[in-house]
Amino acid sequence: MRAVLVYALARLRVRRGRVLLAAGGIAAAGAMLGAAVTAAYGLGTAFDRTAARAQLPDILATFQPLPRSQVQRAVSSLANVRATSYRLQEGRQFVSAGGRSSYDATVIGRSGGGPRGYAVVKGRDLAGPRDVLVEQGLARAWRLRPGEGLLVDGLAFRIAGVAVAPDNVAFPLARGPRLWTGYDVAAQLTGTPSGTVNSALVWLHNPSLVDVTLAQARSASFGISGLRFTTRAGLHALVGQAAGIVIALLVAFSLVAIAVAGTMLAASANAEVQRRLEALGLLRALGASPGAVVAAGALEAALVAVPAGALGLVAGWVAVSSPLNRLLASLSELGPGWSVAPLLVGAWAGLVLLVCAASAFPAWRATRAPAAAALRRGDVVGSTRRLPGAGGPAALGLRMAAARPVRAVAGTVVLASAVVVILLILSIATLLLRLDSNPVAIGKRYQLSVSAPPAEASRIARLPGVQAVEPRYDVNAADSFQLGEPFSLIAYPGNHTRFEAPALAQGHRLRGPDEAEVGLGLAQILNLYPGATLAAQLPSGRELRFRVAGVVRALERQGRVVYVQSARLVAAEPDAPSELAVLLTPGASSGSVRRELESAGYFTSSTGGIAGQSVQGWASRSSGFVGVLVALLRAVAVIDAVVCLYAIAQMLALTVWERRVALASVRALGAGRRQLASVLGATAAPVALAAILLGFVLDRFLVGPLVAHLAASYATLSLRPSAAAVALTAAGLCAGALVAVLWAARLAAGGPVVHWLREG
Amino acid sequence: MGVVVRARGLVKVYGQGRAAVRILDGLDLDLHAGELVAVTGRSGSGKSTLLNVVGALDRVDSGRIELCGIRLDAASERELAPLRRDRIGFVFQSFHLLPELTGLENVLLPTRLNGRGPSPARGIELVEQLGLGAAAERLPAVLSGGEQQRLAIARALVNEPDVVLADEPTGNLDAESGREVLDLLRAIADEGRAVLLVTHEEEATRRADRILRLEAGRLR
């Protein structure tokens, strides 16, 4: 065994070029793996990780300001309560620092002890009366640091630290920034009598019994007006509305990328050991046992994979960490930091094991065949099968590919995987852009929203280019039975399908004021089905009950929407927020109608997609966010294309190496680089073409629908690649194959013919 | 008869520094059309090296070598490829038939490398002439050594080269097959081509017009 180790080290020392090439391939796949693992873990666990660090409560109750003692009495009557904390929080405060300002800041003062409900990520916690904690989003946007000054409503504060609380998205995604101060200061700033609070944070002994506690809380809340409960799950859903679909798509894509990286690693390692068959045959001829030969194959692979894999994983982690942290920071969530390290170490161990196994397998196969076969240096021994074709360079290349069917299939699978990833990325990018800008993509048929009271509808309907106008009510409600499950109650006076009509998954469209169409996302959570009853608690505390007529595949707010007719809603909630939905006549210009409306004094906005609808006004405060994400995805597609090029080049390099005697013979007969390129091109062409076809079929019928389902089971997401994307991918792969063929032909034509001929 | 190959002062060195071996050391050679020249010598004396540099398969370190007046030592790889295809026919000891192609396809391969399309008539004629009709449609793996070598000779002749270079062509054959191959080479020379034969077999030297012995890097 010691001799085998010495031999493996000696080979690595001598064949530095080959070792570096193999290490490059492993590092590239490792980088893909590292990036995918970091992204999948970081995005998938961000909320829970941040919630744990910030000691996010199991229940957040908000209400009209009340003396703390009164609220304490109600809370103390509840069972299962582990800890409580009280706050006074007030929005619309003016804050300024470093020449920037906002009128929409929320000041939060913590009353008494108990857990904090936020995590200090920089600096220290509050200590003095003029200390303030700023949320991470504000610190990033305004470049604030602990120790600097800040004014709130004219009062000077010193920034003690930077905090994160995942109970809302971060500024500037959220309309205003959040600041934490001492209770007395908050009371002073908001002009509230001392001792009053307007929110309670509750931590439970057994969080799984949260519904029981909420039911108790409702009965114990007599005298507390404007009471609303939000559970930790509800907060997760609310925050998830901002970028839930984006994150879900990225996580699903990362899972696919991990599988593809594994396939590429295995194929790369297998190809590498094919080059060493001669050396393995020699070991056998010298008397090495089959076990030692397999160990030699695995050991040599491990010696390359251990450092290269580590380097690649670290590179992938570094590459993805910064954009990942920025994305999470915008959602008030923390990056994975060092918590991803054990997973990366596990991925590294898995990578090394995979490479060793993929290397040991062909070595093991080599021990099953006569040693002479391995010593023949891998050149293909004549086949007894005849294949059609004229027998020229191209036919020779085709037959060379056919002589190694397993390799051709493996090459096809690897390239097809890369094609799937590229098509998937392009489809996701296209989908995000459509969701961001095209109302139809999220089931909306109206093009413009106008901030105006319902009475203005008839006036706007008379404007040229306008087909129909109706008030659209959008109220944040919660399920009366499971108070932690918030949703949007969307109402039109008449038939809502004229203005927005997500696809019907079950049941029928609503026909009367007592019926509702429920989004599939909400139906899954609340176990709703046609004929079931939905009890919606409105912001005023009043309750409306509807019979579920149908379930729709709404993408908006992760499917947590309910469509009803507006009459009962307006009666129960006279101040329900509304806007006017404007449907344009076919062919009318959205821009000209918008100008017309604005000249008439109306404020309009495009209906938009996820950006416009997921979080109120998100689009206006995050312009370019989707654009940056799309650019990032396209950059990943380019990296994948490079990996694809590497895979083709490696396959051809292996063919050149294995068939070097045959190629040298062809050169001796007068073939130049062009003819060699014909031979190698014909070897690569069937693999590339089959990969394009297989990749398209896999993406279209398996991976695309799978990712769409993983990302949003509550809606129908179309991740079908466009014709342009398929054409672009096919053209890119063909161009990459051509580059690889020319490179391989150069390799095959390099040096005197006799060098390789001598080995025959 | 005109000179087909003219070599002057050929030097080929293997290895570097103190381990360097001058395998060809100022070698001169003239090879005329219509003559069969046999080169003999001990193993490692440089016979195959000589054949390789004359056949444009390898390069010399110094010296001048011409094929039909064309300098090989100064030609680029791009210039050498058509010379190998059209002017030189090579016969290898281990045949080097491509295992994926049938006998006839192997014979016709050089004609398909010029990009002008194959001219099968000459190939079929050669195959028939060499008695390889049955072998023509079969793959090399199922052919005997003698059949394979005769196919290799047919392949070497298919583009009507000026010189045929044969490196131990009978080395892997039985006596009967070897005799057939040597008769063929003699016939090729008699047709007016130059044939350079590397061998260590007496049977082969008996058919040669000239016998040259390679010693200490030079022909004697």
Side-chain angles (χ1 to χ4, degrees):
Chain A
M1 204 60 189
R2 185 182 160 78
V4 168
L5 178 62
V6 169
Y7 174 67
L9 285 171
R11 276 179 59 85
L12 294 179
R13 214 170 32 244
V14 171
R15 302 166 64 86
R16 281 183 193 153
R18 280 301 316 160
V19 169
L20 282 177
L21 195 62
I26 293 171
M32 202 166 156
L33 189 64
V37 165
T38 307
Y41 172 78
L43 293 170
T45 61
F47 180 82
D48 290 334
R49 190 175 51 247
T50 312
R53 183 149 170 220
Q55 297 177 305
L56 196 69
D58 296 307
I59 299 169
L60 171 63
T62 55
F63 38 84
Q64 295 296 324
L66 282 174
R68 178 180 156 173
S69 54
Q70 186 183 341
V71 183
Q72 264 179 322
R73 268 199 304 278
V75 172
S76 62
S77 68
L78 303 177
N80 193 26
V81 173
R82 177 168 59 86
T84 51
S85 172
Y86 300 92
R87 290 171 169 181
L88 176 65
Q89 63 181 61
E90 193 66 42
R92 294 181 187 164
Q93 304 293 312
F94 177 75
V95 59
S96 64
R100 302 187 194 211
S101 61
S102 167
Y103 288 93
D104 261 324
T106 297
V107 172
I108 304 165
R110 187 154 59 100
S111 169
R116 292 187 304 211
Y118 57 81
V120 179
V121 293
K122 209 180 279 183
R124 56 168 175 77
D125 201 1
L126 301 170
R130 287 291 183 227
D131 279 352
V132 65
L133 289 175
V134 296
E135 70 156 281
Q136 186 177 243
L138 179 68
R140 277 176 178 253
W142 291 7
R143 300 178 191 282
L144 300 177
R145 290 182 186 153
E148 292 179 353
L150 181 135
L151 289 173
V152 183
D153 275 352
L155 283 180
F157 288 87
R158 184 173 169 276
I159 299 171
V162 177
V164 164
D167 51 6
N168 196 3
V169 296
F171 179 80
L173 279 187
R175 194 179 300 277
R178 285 176 294 165
L179 309 168
W180 288 267
T181 64
Y183 174 81
D184 293 335
V185 176
Q188 183 191 343
L189 282 168
T190 58
T192 311
S194 184
T196 52
V197 292
N198 59 5
S199 65
L201 285 62
V202 181
W203 288 262
L204 303 180
H205 289 292
N206 185 353
S208 67
L209 298 176
V210 66
D211 279 346
V212 177
T213 308
L214 284 172
Q216 287 179 342
R218 288 186 74 194
S219 58
S221 62
F222 182 75
I224 301 177
S225 60
L227 178 63
R228 292 200 65 190
F229 295 109
T230 315
T231 62
R232 186 187 272 218
L235 288 172
H236 192 177
L238 284 170
V239 173
Q241 287 175 2
I245 188 67
V246 174
I247 285 180
L249 282 169
L250 287 177
V251 170
F253 167 72
S254 296
L255 295 177
V256 172
I258 288 170
V260 170
T263 310
M264 286 181 167
L265 272 172
S268 167
N270 191 293
E272 190 54 32
V273 88
Q274 296 286 347
R275 291 170 164 273
R276 302 203 303 264
L277 283 182
E278 178 199 343
L280 298 177
L282 186 63
L283 282 177
R284 285 189 64 200
L286 294 176
S289 67
V293 170
V294 173
L299 185 67
E300 204 172 317
L303 289 173
V304 178
V306 165
L311 202 65
L313 279 163
V314 169
W317 170 71
V318 168
V320 85
S321 283
S322 178
L324 178 67
N325 287 341
R326 276 204 302 275
L327 175 65
L328 290 176
S330 68
L331 303 173
S332 286
E333 289 174 353
L334 298 170
W338 290 109
S339 67
V340 75
L343 260 185
L344 287 174
V345 170
W348 175 68
L351 179 151
V352 172
L353 273 177
L354 186 68
V355 171
C356 288
S359 303
F361 179 66
W364 173 79
R365 279 183 60 197
T367 64
R368 312 281 291 175
L375 275 172
R376 260 200 295 270
R377 303 172 185 212
D379 200 8
V380 171
V381 180
S383 159
T384 52
R385 277 184 304 143
R386 277 200 61 189
L387 290 160
L396 178 62
L398 277 173
R399 293 180 195 188
M400 280 183 170
R404 284 282 192 244
V406 174
R407 178 174 313 145
V409 169
T412 303
V413 169
V414 168
L415 290 181
S417 307
V419 168
V420 166
V421 168
I422 291 172
L423 286 177
L424 198 57
I425 289 173
L426 294 179
S427 304
I428 290 175
T430 307
L431 176 69
L432 287 177
L433 286 175
R434 276 178 46 229
L435 290 176
D436 187 34
S437 59
N438 183 2
V440 179
I442 55 170
K444 288 198 166 43
R445 292 177 174 176
Y446 66 97
Q447 292 84 3
L448 294 174
S449 298
V450 180
S451 298
E456 296 287 309
S458 56
R459 188 182 158 204
I460 292 172
R462 288 196 293 273
L463 291 175
V466 175
Q467 188 183 51
V469 182
E470 279 200 8
R472 179 186 192 269
Y473 298 89
D474 188 341
V475 174
N476 287 322
D479 181 73
S480 297
F481 305 124
Q482 295 185 43
L483 289 163
E485 300 301 345
F487 57 86
S488 280
L489 199 58
I490 298 167
Y492 286 87
N495 178 11
H496 70 90
T497 57
R498 196 176 178 199
F499 290 86
E500 49 191 301
L504 198 62
Q506 272 181 285
H508 59 80
R509 296 289 182 188
L510 67 94
R511 293 167 183 159
D514 297 329
E515 288 189 333
E517 283 172 33
V518 180
L520 185 54
L522 188 66
Q524 287 170 347
I525 296 164
L526 298 179
N527 193 27
L528 295 174
Y529 48 87
T533 298
L534 170 75
Q537 192 183 63
L538 304 176
S540 62
R542 300 184 68 176
E543 183 188 280
L544 288 178
R545 293 197 174 201
F546 300 94
R547 194 175 68 81
V548 177
V551 177
V552 292
R553 295 187 184 279
L555 186 59
E556 191 177 349
R557 304 192 183 187
Q558 297 181 307
R560 290 165 173 263
V561 295
V562 174
Y563 290 96
V564 295
Q565 291 184 354
S566 60
R568 289 178 61 208
L569 174 68
V570 174
E573 194 87 9
D575 296 328
S578 72
E579 59 188 6
L580 295 178
V582 179
L583 184 68
L584 303 184
T585 50
S589 159
S590 167
S592 61
V593 173
R594 199 168 175 173
R595 278 192 296 277
E596 191 82 27
L597 284 164
E598 282 168 359
S599 67
Y602 297 109
F603 178 75
T604 65
S605 59
S606 171
T607 307
I610 45 168
Q613 296 297 324
S614 296
V615 164
Q616 295 78 6
W618 183 46
S620 60
R621 291 186 296 281
S622 64
S623 57
F625 178 77
V626 172
V628 169
L629 205 62
V630 167
L632 190 71
L633 281 170
R634 286 181 176 157
V636 175
V638 171
I639 292 171
D640 191 63
V642 172
V643 174
C644 206
L645 176 64
Y646 176 84
I648 305 174
Q650 192 188 46
M651 186 187 77
L652 287 174
L654 182 58
T655 301
V656 167
W657 172 252
E658 214 176 55
R659 306 309 307 274
R660 59 197 183 280
V661 177
L663 291 171
S665 302
V666 177
R667 280 185 74 195
L669 297 175
R673 198 182 290 179
R674 197 163 55 85
Q675 286 84 6
L676 290 174
S678 295
V679 174
L680 294 167
T683 307
V687 173
L689 292 176
I692 291 169
L693 192 66
L694 181 64
F696 170 73
V697 169
L698 282 175
D699 181 60
R700 172 76 179 75
F701 297 104
L702 181 68
V703 183
L706 180 71
V707 169
H709 182 75
L710 280 173
S713 62
Y714 51 84
T716 307
L717 281 183
S718 174
L719 283 177
R720 183 183 298 187
S722 66
V726 174
L728 185 70
T729 306
L733 187 63
C734 290
L738 183 65
V739 169
V741 163
L742 294 176
W743 170 79
R746 191 162 174 263
L747 193 71
V753 181
V754 73
H755 278 181
W756 284 351
L757 209 52
R758 204 179 278 143
E759 299 182 2
Chain B
M1 291 289 185
V3 175
V4 177
V5 175
R6 183 190 300 276
R8 292 290 178 269
L10 297 188
V11 173
K12 179 73 181 174
V13 181
Y14 288 129
Q16 289 179 328
R18 296 177 66 180
V21 177
R22 289 172 81 89
I23 198 83
L24 301 181
D25 190 7
L27 181 145
D28 297 333
L29 169 70
D30 283 327
L31 184 62
H32 298 87
E35 86 173 328
L36 191 157
V37 174
V39 177
T40 64
R42 298 177 63 177
S43 292
S45 60
K47 300 187 296 293
S48 294
T49 302
L50 171 63
L51 218 59
N52 289 336
V53 296
V54 171
L57 301 182
D58 203 356
R59 291 187 178 275
V60 288
D61 293 307
S62 67
R64 180 188 179 99
I65 182 162
E66 292 176 5
L67 173 68
C68 300
I70 302 167
R71 287 277 298 272
L72 298 184
D73 54 286
S76 68
E77 181 59 30
R78 187 185 288 266
E79 292 163 333
L80 288 178
L83 286 177
R84 286 196 291 260
R85 185 184 65 215
D86 300 330
R87 302 271 185 148
I88 302 167
F90 223 109
V91 181
F92 305 98
Q93 180 178 355
S94 49
F95 326 134
H96 286 318
L97 294 179
L98 296 168
E100 290 88 359
L101 303 184
T102 64
L104 182 60
E105 286 172 342
N106 267 289
V107 171
L108 292 176
L109 185 59
T111 72
R112 289 180 161 126
L113 292 174
N114 62 14
R116 293 191 297 272
S119 50
R122 173 66 177 151
I124 293 167
E125 181 192 329
L126 279 167
V127 164
E128 293 298 331
Q129 199 180 323
L130 297 179
L132 292 166
E137 293 307 313
R138 289 150 71 187
L139 292 168
V142 295
L143 299 178
S144 72
E147 286 174 315
Q148 290 192 55
Q149 192 59 297
R150 278 185 287 152
L151 282 170
I153 292 172
R155 181 178 65 183
L157 295 174
V158 75
N159 274 346
E160 310 280 3
D162 296 301
V163 59
V164 173
L165 306 169
D167 189 1
E168 305 270 13
T170 57
N172 284 349
L173 302 179
D174 59 60
E176 178 63 29
S177 300
R179 265 195 299 280
E180 285 176 12
V181 166
L182 290 173
D183 289 343
L184 259 174
L185 292 172
R186 179 67 258 178
I188 292 165
D190 292 342
E191 283 173 7
R193 290 178 226 286
V195 178
L196 186 59
L197 169 68
V198 161
T199 185
H200 59 268
E201 291 179 14
E202 271 189 36
E203 176 80 25
T205 57
R206 274 203 290 274
R207 285 172 170 75
D209 298 310
R210 281 194 289 155
I211 301 168
L212 302 173
R213 184 165 178 80
L214 187 54
E215 279 180 2
R218 293 185 183 211
L219 290 169
R220 302 181 197 282

